[in-house]
Amino acid sequence: DGGITQSPKYLFRKEGQNVTLSCEQNLNHDAMYWYRQDPGQGLRLIYYSQIVNDFQKGDIAEGYSVSREKKESFPLTVTSAQKNPTAFYLCASSMGSLSVMVDTEAFFGQGTRLTVV
Amino acid sequence: AQKITQTQPGMFVQEKEAVTLDCTYDTSDPSYGLFWYKQPSSGEMIFLIYQGSYDQQNATEGRYSLNFQKARKSANLVISASQLGDSAMYFCAMREGPGNYGGATNKLIFGTGTLLAVQP
């Protein structure tokens, strides 16, 4: 079955450490996204990628980095520069308009809950 | 600049009644898509309904309908015959430029959400 997989589901990090969140999709989607969600809050866009080897900053990119070396993978690194990294992180993918002339919804992973200890 | 606004942090509705969740948006792109998602307490994001900026008719999906008023830049979600299982967080989202080859950003942004509680 096609889908989008995030791992791990729960992640604990010590202060000052970098940590990488995995996001893999087998939907053949061009576009991929990373969002951060704080308790009771909406989704804020961290980074997004329209195509392999290309990505753009979202609204809260500081302290995060990404790569898009393969179409199916879009890992997010939370660096030590991110001052308040404890949050729920959601990855999503969708067919980009670079591929087709219609729009479709974004599919989401189950999320990774990151806690700094 | 692209922006989504949901002004209702929380709402209550009686079971079997209809409820409208508000969403307004701002964009300078004539081509865009609007989405509604449901997020239960489990955290998963469930796609509900989509409306394209060039669609002439309001989108409907079962008990969900989207009241699209383009001139007012609003895309309200209407849930008919509310059920207890509808209790969740609801997010409105927008992506600019669907269907534009090479010209779209694919940037997908979300509002702050509305927490809906359905009462028996």
Side-chain angles (χ1 to χ4, degrees):
Chain A
D1 287 337
I4 182 165
T5 303
Q6 288 185 244
S7 61
K9 189 172 182 179
Y10 298 96
L11 188 57
F12 296 89
R13 189 195 90 173
K14 292 182 179 179
E15 283 193 30
Q17 285 183 338
N18 291 358
V19 64
T20 298
L21 282 60
S22 171
C23 179
E24 303 276 334
Q25 54 98 359
N26 60 3
L27 300 166
N28 200 33
H29 284 169
D30 287 314
M32 295 188 74
Y33 308 84
W34 274 107
Y35 295 91
R36 170 182 172 139
Q37 186 177 26
D38 294 286
Q41 303 296 313
L43 278 67
R44 292 186 290 169
L45 182 62
I46 305 172
Y47 269 98
Y48 64 106
S49 169
Q50 299 185 73
I51 201 166
V52 175
N53 293 323
D54 182 63
F55 49 83
Q56 289 80 39
K57 291 182 180 180
D59 300 318
I60 56 165
E62 186 175 351
Y64 300 97
S65 66
V66 293
S67 63
R68 188 83 187 277
E69 297 177 0
K70 298 186 296 182
K71 188 175 186 177
E72 53 273 18
S73 179
F74 191 42
L76 173 74
T77 297
V78 184
T79 74
S80 57
Q82 171 50 237
K83 298 305 179 187
N84 185 21
T86 295
F88 186 53
Y89 291 86
L90 283 160
C91 179
S93 72
S94 70
M95 293 176 70
S97 65
L98 294 177
S99 300
V100 294
M101 287 294 287
V102 295
D103 202 3
T104 60
E105 71 271 25
F107 293 80
F108 282 81
Q110 294 297 304
T112 293
R113 198 166 297 277
L114 173 64
T115 304
V116 173
V117 296
Chain B
Q2 190 182 5
K3 187 177 180 181
I4 289 279
T5 303
Q6 293 180 256
T7 57
Q8 304 157 312
M11 288 194 69
F12 288 98
V13 64
Q14 290 295 123
E15 194 177 7
K16 300 180 184 177
E17 291 185 350
V19 62
T20 297
L21 306 183
D22 295 341
C23 173
T24 59
Y25 59 92
D26 191 19
T27 178
S28 57
D29 195 321
S31 179
Y32 51 88
L34 297 158
F35 305 81
W36 276 93
Y37 283 84
K38 172 184 177 181
Q39 187 182 45
S41 57
S42 59
E44 62 184 310
M45 293 289 286
I46 302 168
F47 167 72
L48 297 177
I49 196 166
Y50 164 79
Q51 180 85 43
S53 60
Y54 294 120
D55 293 343
Q56 296 295 314
Q57 293 186 325
N58 288 344
T60 59
E61 288 287 347
R63 293 186 299 111
Y64 304 108
S65 61
L66 200 152
N67 184 2
F68 182 46
Q69 298 188 42
K70 195 170 183 177
R72 297 179 60 186
K73 293 189 174 180
S74 74
N76 298 341
L77 176 71
V78 181
I79 305 174
S80 63
S82 297
Q83 302 172 355
L84 296 177
D86 293 335
S87 294
M89 197 76 164
Y90 288 82
F91 292 101
C92 181
M94 176 175 69
R95 176 160 57 213
E96 290 179 332
N100 295 329
Y101 272 84
T105 66
N106 274 314
K107 186 177 181 181
L108 178 64
I109 64 166
F110 285 76
T112 53
T114 296
L115 183 61
L116 177 66
V118 180
Q119 297 176 318

